[in-house]
Amino acid sequence: MSREFALPGTRARWAPDRPIDVEHYRIAIELHPAERRIAGVTTVRARVLAPELRWLELDAVELEVTSVRDGETVRRFEHDGRKLRIDLGELRRTGAGVEVSIAYRARPRRGLYFVGPDPGYPDKPAQVWTQGQDEDSRYWFPCVDTPHAKATSEVIADVPAGWFALSNGVLIDDRTEGERRRLHWRHDQPHSCYLITLAAGDLITVEDRWRDVVVSYHVPRGREAAARRTLGRTPQMMELFSTRFGVPYPYPRYAQVCVADFIFGGMENTTATTLTDAILLDERAALDDDQDGLVAHELAHQWFGDLVTCRDWGEGWLNEGFATYAEYLWREHVEGRDDADVLLDEFADLYFAEDGARYRRTICTKHYDEPIDVFDHHLYDKAGRVLHMLRQVLGDQPFWNSLAHYLTKHRHGVVETRDLARAIEDATGRVLDEFFSQWILDGAGHPELKVAMSWDGETRLAEVKVEQTQKVEGKTPLFRLPATLRFRVDGADVDAAVDIDGSRHTFQVPLAGAPTQMIFDPGRTLLAAVDADKSIELWGAELAAATLAIDRSNAARALGKRGGPRALASLGTALVADRFWAVRGAAAAALGTLRGDAARDLLVAAVADEVHPKARRAIVRALGDFRASVTVAEVLAGIVERGDPSYFVEAEACLALGRVRAAQAPTLLRAAAGRDAFLDVIRSHAYRGLAEARDDSAIEFLISATTWGRPSQGRRAAIAALASLCKGRRDREAVRVRERIEELLEDRDFRVQTAAVEGLAGLGDAAAIAALERLAERELDGRLRRRGREVVRDLGERSGAAEELQRLRDELAALRATTVGLRDRLDKLEARPAASVEDTDAKAARKAAKRAAKVARRHHKKPS
């Protein structure tokens, strides 16, 4: 079973009391980029909720507060570096108004970030941007920093004259005086303060429209074409979501700004999303990539998260699950269900990996150290998949009606899971408490299903046996699952609905004739690990002709596990003939699993003929499974040398060339590492390829690739490659690599720090524990602290197991030496005349031999 999510010492966290209701923030702020400092005056207008209030308390971390005024009255205050307590001078009763203005200055380490050129990155643009989620707005203005406190806001930004500054709402004033520019933004709908934003720099504006709403894209100068290429489908997304969600886009404008070094992919600040500038597509990247998923995700938050907000972060799936599912909705709308189902499988894979390798938790939880801890694949990907199941349970129109009612009923409010459940009940009459209990509130994990399918020609019954095999322990329940069985009879699909509510079921379905397909859960709607047992003929027929592409892909994977001539033939046909690129890609992956000369030759032939870059990418990846093949090495070397129209195909060729351990890999991959590409994908895969080639001579090359001044994505990939190359080793080179990665825990690039933590986890050397413990003690991003603590725990456990194993080995060696000596003595004793009483030395020898055998058995059972 997976580990517990809560680390030792974790206590439950609840939404804090709200003695006041903040109604409005007015933030006047000066940005001084050269000195990396701010100066501001924030005015907080609120109404008292408590029976009486004398001291007003606000979150204000590392702000140097210089004065507090209540109108013209100077107020006494106390500030401990985290909480600002203001003496209102007298008791204020429930309903009384409060308005205070706080003057302060700061050099923020979180919440507000300065980026700009330095000797390592002389071309980096000078910019300032904020990131409030989860609770970091308190680092740049005093506030009640909790999602269940909503207020209107205005931001008056004083910036260098050549700069533009974006904030929430509408721009009501813009003036330049001398060397300073002042932009005044106002948002008149209440929102949580983590959504208050400011992004400033030398930015150019590209305008678009949706209905009567201005839609704008703000990017560094010279990137206008990339902005349209990357963000230009935003108005169509706004139309789709307005229709699907039953509530038109709720604000007067929508902006997206792309900034350097952003610490997330994107952030859904109300009316003004911030995105990393790394997503801006060039023409070559746009051949087989888009950033629609990210754009759709952040846009959907304008409804789910901004208009209606989770009451506390433990309920954060109500923000992130819906935004993740919106990625599917857009893909389904623009590309069709087959393409969208590939995305659903990716969501599942991300969740399964986290559940299996890190921890298992309920989607809703109050047990976390910092709110950022819950922003994981359970919150995003599992929750998105659960919403997809909810849609299937309700049916399309009841699902959309429920969302419209939920958004309308709780507009500008805060919500918990029970509010969604009650909204569904109001809109449809369906009481889904059991569904929310097992998937969201109380249940953790997922069903593991063993399915056996057969046909009885005499009774004309299709028999489907389903067994839930997951361990029912802790919070992992025996699931109740409405499911569908699909049969192909006389060329037509026949569906049967079944309800799985126990550990074992046998379903018998009468059919008019023998089925040529028998599919459990067509479309893979259930979030479940399914092991289906059926004949190779059925798998082959499903690969050839299943209605949904995701079912054909699943059949390809099953045939790759089965192997044999019939599997090879079916996969070879699908590789070149299936109408959908992802099925051809799944066939390629399965052929890679089969290996063998015939599978190899099919892939080599296909890579030259395949037109779709995503399918070609999968074929190249599969060629990497043919280690030591000269034929494959030549094909891959050719792609790496001459390049490919697709960045991603070329990158996969670099990695695959390393995996086949080609003799030419070290030289070609070093050359490829000099190529710039979108997201630095070629360089990153070349580094990984060097690690796969097990080329120790690459260690120095990879270490140099981690230095400040090299592209950030490549630096991170070089760390991962070094960890892979030296995993489990304790020699001099491995120690050198560990020490270098430990140094990078102090890097100025947050993402490099994150890569360093993962690199140390991959190395598996307990000597890194001290460095990771120092990291976890620092005041820094909670994601680093959380992951650092996990890796310290894991390395400690591995170290303990390794020490125990070594102790057993030492004990075994000593006992073997003792046994040899004792056997010699025993042989001598046995050569003497028999004695009436057994010699004590002989007894000792036999005991030692037995003990050695016992230790040997213990040693044999221990994992290495």
Side-chain angles (χ1 to χ4, degrees), residues 456-496:
D456 188 330
E458 292 185 5
T459 62
R460 303 179 74 80
L461 292 173
E463 184 174 88
V464 180
K465 295 181 178 180
V466 182
E467 180 182 0
Q468 295 196 50
T469 61
Q470 74 275 9
K471 285 188 176 181
V472 179
E473 62 182 10
K475 292 184 177 295
T476 304
L478 194 66
F479 287 84
R480 180 171 185 176
L481 306 166
T484 300
L485 309 177
R486 173 167 291 177
F487 308 94
R488 180 72 60 84
V489 180
D490 295 329
D493 287 339
V494 177
D495 287 354

Side-chain angles (χ1 to χ4, degrees), residues 649-708:
V649 172
E650 190 172 332
E652 285 291 350
C654 290
L655 178 56
L657 186 65
R659 290 177 59 212
V660 301
R661 309 278 171 85
Q664 59 269 59
T667 299
L668 291 178
L669 295 179
R670 282 171 169 80
R675 301 173 196 167
D676 293 330
F678 177 67
L679 296 179
D680 214 19
V681 66
I682 295 175
R683 180 176 291 114
S684 298
H685 280 61
Y687 290 158
R688 290 175 59 196
L690 287 169
E692 290 288 344
R694 314 317 295 167
D695 177 16
D696 266 14
S697 70
I699 288 177
E700 183 61 43
F701 180 76
L702 291 169
I703 287 176
S704 68
T706 67
T707 56
W708 182 261

Side-chain angles (χ1 to χ4, degrees), residues 412-441:
H412 300 312
V414 295
V415 288
E416 298 174 298
T417 301
R418 60 185 175 183
D419 295 310
L420 176 61
R422 296 297 85 78
I424 292 169
E425 185 176 341
D426 291 346
T428 69
R430 296 290 301 276
V431 178
L432 298 181
D433 293 352
E434 182 180 22
F435 179 93
F436 284 104
S437 174
Q438 77 172 7
W439 286 111
I440 302 290
L441 297 169

